[in-house]
């Protein structure tokens, strides 16, 4: 997570803001059975890769953890994280496993096409923020350098409008108020923005106020949803209801067009997503007669990206909404060589086996928990 790691009497000590190769004096702040946390008191040797973080909120909010390193060093350390994950969890030698260099961005700022932040009152002003790491303390943020300019500008205008409208904002300490989160998604290539508000309860006055958000430049869709569980991990836990404007906005990935609803998954970094998909294409090196099987396909974006260069793509996902979207996107882009199936993975693989369908390439992008052992063994 961006900490330096040192050892004291065989006890691992995690030190935020320290870089590999630096020598630092550390004050131990928390001690657990197998590890501890410390904070830097004094630098004795400073890394040549250390830079001044560009963000004014760095080390205050819990959003970023690597900005004290120059970008090339960040890419090196991200590769190291992959190697260390294999060393920790893989039961065998990793010597034969190739881990390629991390492919970075030309400009690793202002790329994120979506933000979802808790709202608060700061005096009379409506603000949003990010929680400080490992706390429930909110750091108010005027501008995040990771968000696209379209997202930041829209958020600023929405907050100004809500302040003037004297909106009722939820206070978790006193469990009073209504507006909990503001979610904004927008695509700079289409200049279309979607705003979704998360409320504790439905309230006619607030919904009436939200309608005028559609007057803000580039906003095409205004929505709300109810989440009245303060302990809920998920921000959107109920149906999203369109207040005004269109239910979906238009986004793109390369030549592909997408219609995105407020609760749909879509890649947050379009530039790097295309680089990633191009790496998949490079690995396949399509000649036009390939059959591709895309497991855990989500909204089908990887398979759709490859479809025009191969014979057939089949995607499987157990989320019905994802599959409905994937089929819509295939039709929208005129791709008739792509089929999507809604179910768990194994039953469909059995069916494909019976019809003698054998894919030439397998694309697997599983959720965080990974693949079940039965599926790994089957593959």
């Amino acid at each position: 997570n961006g900490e330096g790691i040192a050892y004291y009497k065989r006890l691992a000590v995690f030190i935020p803001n320290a870089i590999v190769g630096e020598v630092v004096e550390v004050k131990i702040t928390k001690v657990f059975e197998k590890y501890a946390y410390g904070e830097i008191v004094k630098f004795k040797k400073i890394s040549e890769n250390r830079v001044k973080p560009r963000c004014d909120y760095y080390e205050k909010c819990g959003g970023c953890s690597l900005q004290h390193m120059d970008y090339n060093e960040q890419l090196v350390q991200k590769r190291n994280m992959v190697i260390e994950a294999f060393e920790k969890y893989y039961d065998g030698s990793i010597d034969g496993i190739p881990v390629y260099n991390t492919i970075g961005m030309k400009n690793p700022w202002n790329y994120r096409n979506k933000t979802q932040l808790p709202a608060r009152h700061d005096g009379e002003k409506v603000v949003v923020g990010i929680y400080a790491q490992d706390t429930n303390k909110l750091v108010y943020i005027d501008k995040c350098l990771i968000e696209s300019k379209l997202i930041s500008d829209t958020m600023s205008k929405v907050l100004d409008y809500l302040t003037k409208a004297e909106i009722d904002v939820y206070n978790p300490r006193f469990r009073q108020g209504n507006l909990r989160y503001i979610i904004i998604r927008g695509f700079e290539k289409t200049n279309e923005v979607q705003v979704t508000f998360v409320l504790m309860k439905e309230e006619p006055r607030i919904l009436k106020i939200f309608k005028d958000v559609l007057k803000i430049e580039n906003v095409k869709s205004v929505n709300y949803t109810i989440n009245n569980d303060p302990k809920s991990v998920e921000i959107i836990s109920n149906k999203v209801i369109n207040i005004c404007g269109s239910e979906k906005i238009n986004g793109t990935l390369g030549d592909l067009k997408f219609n995105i609803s407020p609760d749909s998954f879509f890649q947050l970094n379009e530039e790097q997503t295309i680089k990633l998909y191009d790496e998949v294409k490079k690995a396949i090196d399509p000649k036009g007669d390939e059959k591709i099987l895309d497991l855990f396909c989500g909204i089908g974006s990887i398979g759709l990206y490859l479809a025009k260069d191969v014979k057939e793509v089949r995607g499987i996902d157990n989320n019905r909404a994802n599959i409905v979207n994937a089929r819509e996107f295939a039709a929208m882009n005129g791709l008739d060589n792509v089929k999507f199936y809604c179910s768990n993975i194994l039953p469909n693989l059995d069916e494909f086996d019976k019809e003698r369908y054998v894919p030439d390439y397998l694309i697997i992008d599983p959720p965080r928990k990974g693949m079940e052992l039965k599926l790994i063994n089957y593959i």
Side-chain angles (χ1 to χ4, degrees):
N1 298 319
E3 302 110 334
I5 305 170
Y7 291 87
Y8 176 72
K9 294 183 179 178
R10 297 188 180 180
L11 185 72
V13 183
F14 295 93
I15 309 158
N17 199 32
I19 299 177
V20 172
E22 289 187 325
V23 179
V24 292
E25 277 186 15
V26 171
K27 176 185 175 183
I28 303 294
T29 54
K30 294 179 185 174
V31 180
F32 301 91
E33 186 180 348
K34 294 184 178 179
Y35 62 94
Y37 281 94
E39 61 184 37
I40 297 173
V41 175
K42 182 179 179 182
F43 286 96
K44 291 196 164 185
K45 178 186 174 186
I46 295 176
S47 170
E48 60 184 15
N49 298 311
R50 177 171 290 280
V51 295
K52 182 182 177 183
R54 279 180 57 172
C55 178
D56 292 337
Y57 305 102
Y58 189 67
E59 292 186 54
K60 296 174 187 174
C61 90
C64 300
S65 57
L66 300 177
Q67 278 191 32
H68 59 287
M69 306 176 195
D70 69 47
Y71 189 55
N72 287 332
E73 180 67 8
Q74 290 182 31
L75 300 182
V76 169
Q77 293 306 332
K78 287 178 180 181
R79 178 179 180 273
N80 286 341
M81 288 177 193
V82 174
I83 293 170
E84 287 166 8
F86 272 97
E87 287 174 339
K88 185 173 181 180
Y89 297 109
Y90 179 63
D91 186 17
S93 171
I94 68 164
D95 293 342
I97 298 175
V99 180
Y100 300 111
N101 291 333
T102 313
I103 299 171
M105 300 180 72
K106 288 179 182 175
N107 175 30
W109 305 97
N110 304 116
Y111 59 81
R112 191 180 172 101
N113 60 34
K114 181 182 178 184
T115 189
Q116 45 187 28
L117 299 173
R120 293 286 191 276
H121 269 308
D122 183 15
E124 298 294 314
K125 193 176 177 184
V126 180
V127 296
V128 290
I130 298 176
Y131 290 106
Q133 192 153 0
D134 299 325
T135 75
N136 58 2
K137 179 187 175 186
L138 201 66
V139 178
Y140 302 152
I141 289 177
D142 289 326
K143 192 172 184 180
C144 174
L145 297 179
I146 302 302
E147 296 169 353
S148 73
K149 189 174 184 301
L150 180 63
I151 297 290
S152 289
D153 288 351
T154 304
M155 179 65 85
S156 178
K157 291 170 184 175
V158 168
L159 292 174
D160 283 347
Y161 168 68
L162 295 180
T163 298
K164 289 170 186 170
E166 298 181 351
I167 201 85
D168 185 23
V169 177
Y170 180 69
N171 185 323
R173 185 178 175 189
F174 300 108
R175 299 196 175 183
Q176 294 174 341
N178 202 348
L179 175 63
R180 293 187 65 196
Y181 291 91
I182 301 173
I183 304 171
I184 299 180
R185 174 185 265 154
F187 302 108
E188 293 189 319
K189 287 188 177 175
T190 61
N191 268 330
E192 294 194 10
V193 177
Q194 187 174 67
V195 181
T196 303
F197 299 100
V198 181
L199 302 173
M200 282 294 286
K201 60 185 179 182
E202 194 167 311
E203 189 179 329
R205 176 185 173 270
I206 283 186
L207 298 184
K208 189 176 178 182
I209 288 170
F210 289 161
K211 283 186 178 179
D212 278 347
V213 171
L214 196 66
K215 295 177 182 177
I216 293 173
E217 186 181 10
N218 298 317
V219 174
K220 307 296 180 187
S221 171
V222 182
N223 315 274
Y224 79 97
T225 184
I226 304 298
N227 184 343
N228 54 17
D229 180 3
K231 296 181 180 178
S232 173
V233 176
E234 292 183 8
I235 293 174
I236 295 180
S237 58
N238 288 300
K239 184 179 178 183
V240 178
I241 299 166
N242 182 249
I243 301 172
C244 55
S246 57
E247 290 186 8
K248 300 180 180 182
I249 59 169
N250 294 307
T252 61
L253 273 179
D255 296 332
L256 290 174
K257 299 172 186 174
F258 295 89
N259 265 146
I260 307 299
S261 56
D263 51 355
S264 291
F265 171 80
F266 196 76
Q267 296 283 359
L268 296 170
N269 185 336
E270 296 145 74
E271 179 185 329
Q272 288 299 84
T273 297
I274 290 171
K275 285 185 185 177
L276 176 66
Y277 292 1
D278 281 339
E279 287 297 312
V280 176
K281 187 185 287 188
K282 195 189 302 180
I284 291 172
D285 189 21
K287 304 293 188 291
D289 59 350
E290 293 85 2
K291 289 181 282 188
I292 308 291
L293 190 53
D294 185 4
L295 307 186
F296 309 94
C297 67
I299 61 171
S301 54
I302 302 178
L304 293 170
Y305 192 81
L306 298 170
K308 66 180 185 294
D309 298 309
V310 301
K311 182 179 180 181
E312 182 182 0
V313 176
R314 295 188 183 189
I316 310 173
D317 197 280
N318 65 2
N319 183 307
R320 184 162 296 280
N322 280 342
I323 293 301
V324 168
N325 282 331
R327 290 169 180 165
E328 286 176 1
F329 299 150
M332 186 189 305
N333 288 280
L335 298 169
D336 56 8
N337 62 335
V338 187
K339 295 177 183 174
F340 291 105
Y341 302 79
C342 182
S343 85
N344 291 326
I345 305 292
L346 275 173
N348 265 302
L349 296 188
D350 282 331
E351 288 299 314
F352 296 164
D353 213 18
K354 288 172 187 172
E355 66 173 85
R356 303 284 175 88
Y357 173 83
V358 181
D360 299 296
Y361 291 92
L362 207 55
I363 298 167
I364 306 172
D365 186 12
R368 291 187 182 189
K369 66 180 180 180
M371 293 184 284
E372 58 183 284
L373 190 58
K374 283 182 183 177
L375 178 56
I376 293 173
N377 290 336
Y378 188 99
I379 291 169

